[in-house]
Amino acid sequence: PVINYFKGDSPFLASKAWFHYAFGNTVSREESDIIYDRFVVPESRNIARSTLKSFAKIDFTKPHVPLLFIAGEKDNIIPADLNTRNFKAYKDPSSVRDFRLFEGRSHNIVGEKGWEEVAGFAFDWIQKQV
């Protein structure tokens, strides 16, 4: 619903039902609605649309900076299998790339209970790269 080209440049405001599916699917609908009421605001459809455009060509065989792919097991927006495919696309054996799946987590991985585990993992991973 965010990308819908028939909506022109009108702002997108998710319904509570869509938000629960996309971001609040690991909590009750009641808790999801509370999060929605507290944080959700209209957003530009162009932000999501711009991710569909190819601004750069990636050569997955070339060396690259360290990459950490973090996936939520229950992410309905960027499913774990898509994150896995993206991770596996990078082929340079001399470049650092890591993948971590967090069980039971949604697309709202850093906004849900236990976010500290995800943040701590990312922080520790970055410390090992410097």
Side-chain angles (χ1 to χ4, degrees):
V2 179
I3 297 170
N4 188 340
Y5 285 97
F6 295 112
K7 297 288 187 172
D9 287 334
S10 66
F12 172 74
L13 180 60
S15 68
K16 287 184 177 183
W18 184 85
F19 179 82
H20 184 252
Y21 167 79
F23 292 91
N25 57 307
T26 58
V27 297
S28 70
R29 175 62 191 266
E30 180 180 54
E31 189 174 349
S32 177
D33 287 353
I34 291 169
I35 296 166
Y36 178 97
D37 290 338
R38 185 167 181 199
F39 295 109
V40 174
V41 296
E43 67 176 274
S44 170
R45 293 177 188 278
N46 294 324
I47 294 169
R49 288 177 189 157
S50 69
T51 64
L52 300 177
K53 297 176 183 174
S54 178
F55 293 106
K57 299 295 178 200
I58 299 171
D59 183 344
F60 293 101
T61 64
K62 286 189 173 183
H64 54 78
V65 298
L67 296 172
L68 172 61
F69 292 82
I70 293 177
E73 175 197 21
K74 299 190 181 285
D75 188 334
N76 289 330
I77 301 293
I78 309 293
D81 63 334
L82 176 57
N83 260 316
T84 301
R85 287 195 308 269
N86 289 337
F87 165 73
K88 289 180 177 178
Y90 288 86
K91 304 291 185 191
D92 178 55
S94 64
S95 297
V96 174
R97 66 181 174 96
D98 288 306
F99 176 86
R100 172 70 190 270
L101 174 68
F102 284 88
E103 303 278 330
R105 304 300 176 93
S106 72
H107 193 69
N108 189 27
I109 195 165
V110 295
E112 55 194 12
K113 288 180 187 172
W115 66 266
E116 298 91 345
E117 178 189 7
V118 179
F121 177 83
F123 180 79
D124 291 344
W125 185 88
I126 290 167
Q127 293 301 308
K128 290 175 188 172
Q129 307 313 310
V130 291

